[in-house]
Amino acid sequence: LCTDDELMTMCRFAVTRRLWCDSSVVKLRAPVKIFGDLHGQFADLLKYFDAYGSPNPYSGDIEWCSYCFLGDYVDRGCHSL
C-alpha cells in the first residue's frame, strides 16, 4: 500500500502529465450544463432540454452556456438518436 502523500503525488502526476494530454479530456468555459448517459434516447434528450433549457440560438442559452454530454450514444431502442 502507499501513504497518503504518495497517493496525492500520483494523482497530481496523472492530472498534470497524463489527463490533459488525453484527447478525451476537454476544456469548457463556465457555466456548463453536464448531461449524463443518454444511451441514444432522443425522448430523454428532449426531456432534459425541457427541464434545463435547450441550446436554441433564438430562445435558448447557447450563447452563454456550454453543454457537455457524458457517456455513450449507442442505440438502445426504436427511438434512438
Side-chain angles (χ1 to χ4, degrees):
L1 295 176
C2 61
T3 66
D4 289 347
D5 288 336
E6 291 171 330
L7 181 60
M8 290 303 294
T9 300
M10 287 188 283
C11 289
R12 279 191 209 98
F13 179 79
V15 168
T16 58
R17 302 273 170 86
R18 181 67 187 126
L19 289 180
W20 294 118
C21 298
D22 193 335
S23 63
S24 66
V25 176
V26 296
K27 292 182 180 179
L28 299 170
R29 62 177 166 74
V32 179
K33 290 183 182 179
I34 301 174
F35 295 89
D37 240 342
L38 290 177
H39 293 291
Q41 296 300 309
F42 185 64
D44 290 347
L45 176 65
L46 295 179
K47 287 177 188 176
Y48 279 137
F49 287 163
D50 282 342
Y52 304 108
S54 69
N56 183 324
Y58 304 107
S59 61
D61 55 9
I62 194 67
E63 298 296 325
W64 59 270
C65 186
S66 297
Y67 282 74
C68 179
F69 292 90
L70 304 174
D72 59 41
Y73 307 100
V74 297
D75 185 342
R76 290 268 178 122
C78 62
H79 302 291
S80 66
L81 295 173

